[in-house]
Amino acid sequence: MKDIYFEPNRRKPKPTKKVLNIGTHWLTVISPYLSMKLASKLLGNPFSRRVYEMRTVVKPESVVIATSFGDICLHKFSPKTQHCEKHILLCHGWGDSSTRFTQLINQLLLSGFTLWSFDQVGHGKSSGNYSHLFAFIEGTRQVIEYLDRENCSPQAIVGHSMGALGVMNQPAELIGTKKVVLISAPALFFENMYHAVASVGVARIMLTNLLEQVSALMGTHWKTLAPRENTAIINNNFLFVHDTTDLTCSYKGIKNLLTNIEHEFYTTENLGHIKILKDPQMLAKVADFCLLEDLIMDR
């Protein structure tokens, strides 16, 4: 049975949606290149908040990391009371920035970690105004490799929403034995994209053309980035956190995806896709999971 969230709209489409659907369909048929350019502007701009001040208990130091898509702003949050060699990397979702992790950063600082959080290209204080999943994947990889070179290799990586999928697409050797926490992960990422464009009247063929064109440029087909194609990386070092009422990324979808796969799962209720990141119990759970290896070694 299909998820209710992905059931087609049973109401008759509005005239403006029908016109948009017809227009974007025929534009793609007649000129795939122009269709891709328009789709990039319509679908590739995350409209992330670009000017902000972190309201964390400590102010970050920031460095710039270069990627093939543009420069990334990487923030470092250090505990006030001690020098810390335990590092955690935070990866935000689409249309977001490091500010989304304010409460989690404060919680993990209290647990003695040094936190690193970066804004993806086209987001927050990083460069550009265009992004996609390929950019998320490369941005995450470049930051992890930078931290490894600086002897700050994270013992845990936390990803939220699309940021979680960016983590799932990393090479297994780069993840290694790190703890991985994936919050509100999108089990039906591309299905969700098609549903979203259809809801505003954009023709499916326009999105498919955009995905195919970007895939050709990147030399990797977009379908290989889907969550179901990247479950081999998941093991008992992974903690999935998801809310039963999440309307952006289906709870049922992620539970189905993880069937018969070794992992740890933590469920919340009535918090949705965003409020989950402020829940005290969830924050404590993430801190405990990241600290678990240290506790075992201390015994």
Side-chain angles (χ1 to χ4, degrees):
M1 182 176 179
K2 293 178 68 177
D3 271 279
I4 294 176
Y5 180 61
F6 293 109
E7 284 288 343
N9 193 333
R10 298 183 183 277
R11 296 179 181 178
K12 292 183 179 180
K14 295 180 179 180
T16 51
K17 287 180 61 175
K18 292 182 68 174
V19 171
L20 180 59
N21 185 273
I22 293 170
T24 52
H25 173 89
W26 283 108
L27 175 63
T28 306
V29 171
I30 296 169
S31 178
Y33 175 76
L34 288 178
S35 174
M36 180 193 70
K37 298 296 287 185
L38 178 59
S40 296
K41 291 183 179 296
L42 291 175
L43 309 175
N45 190 334
F47 296 102
S48 173
R49 182 180 177 186
R50 310 313 295 267
V51 178
Y52 63 79
E53 181 179 353
M54 294 299 302
R55 297 181 178 179
T56 44
V57 292
V58 297
K59 297 300 181 183
E61 304 171 28
S62 301
V63 296
V64 174
I65 309 295
T67 79
S68 64
F69 297 102
D71 290 341
I72 280 177
C73 179
L74 173 64
H75 301 301
K76 177 184 180 182
F77 303 83
S78 302
K80 289 182 176 180
T81 57
Q82 59 182 323
H83 172 71
C84 176
E85 296 183 354
K86 299 181 296 182
H87 302 267
I88 294 180
L89 175 63
L90 308 177
C91 310
H92 69 74
W94 181 259
D96 245 323
S97 69
S98 296
T99 58
R100 184 63 68 188
F101 291 117
T102 298
Q103 288 78 13
L104 183 57
I105 290 170
N106 289 339
Q107 177 75 41
L108 293 173
L109 283 170
L110 289 174
S111 298
F113 290 103
T114 295
L115 279 300
W116 300 82
S117 183
F118 68 101
D119 298 338
Q120 290 281 6
V121 168
H123 295 72
K125 296 187 178 182
S126 294
S127 65
N129 56 13
Y130 170 70
S131 192
H132 44 56
L133 182 54
F134 288 101
F136 265 62
I137 294 168
E138 184 186 329
T140 304
R141 177 175 57 80
Q142 293 280 13
V143 170
I144 296 173
E145 291 178 348
Y146 167 82
L147 293 177
D148 287 345
R149 291 194 301 270
E150 295 295 312
N151 295 318
C152 300
S153 182
Q155 75 175 61
I157 302 174
V158 179
H160 175 247
S161 193
M162 187 167 162
L165 186 52
V167 175
M168 287 181 67
N169 273 279
Q170 297 305 311
E173 59 271 19
L174 198 62
I175 298 299
T177 59
K178 296 176 175 64
K179 295 284 186 178
V180 178
V181 181
L182 303 183
I183 305 169
S184 308
L188 302 167
F189 180 75
F190 292 109
E191 294 90 336
N192 199 348
M193 287 182 68
Y194 276 104
H195 176 83
V197 299
S199 68
V200 297
V202 174
R204 289 175 59 88
I205 189 175
M206 174 175 266
L207 175 56
T208 300
N209 177 64
L210 175 63
L211 293 171
E212 293 291 342
Q213 296 275 3
V214 175
S215 293
L217 290 173
M218 299 305 302
T220 302
H221 199 268
W222 59 273
K223 289 184 179 179
T224 66
L225 308 182
R228 62 179 173 272
E229 300 298 326
N230 291 279
T231 57
I233 198 173
I234 301 171
N235 54 42
N236 58 9
N237 283 327
F238 279 64
L239 167 66
F240 285 81
V241 181
H242 219 99
D243 192 81
T244 57
T245 62
D246 191 331
L247 296 180
T248 301
C249 297
S250 164
Y251 178 82
K252 181 180 178 182
I254 196 68
K255 292 294 285 187
N256 287 342
L257 178 72
L258 297 173
T259 301
N260 298 324
I261 297 176
E262 191 174 14
H263 68 283
E264 187 170 338
F265 202 97
Y266 181 77
T267 298
T268 64
E269 295 183 352
N270 300 317
L271 296 174
H273 191 68
I274 298 298
K275 288 183 180 180
I276 190 173
L277 289 170
K278 298 181 179 180
D279 180 62
Q281 290 181 310
M282 192 285 298
L283 299 175
K285 174 63 179 180
V286 172
D288 289 345
F289 183 78
C290 294
L291 282 167
L292 180 60
E293 185 175 343
D294 291 340
L295 294 174
I296 293 174
M297 292 178 66
D298 289 342
R299 289 177 181 174

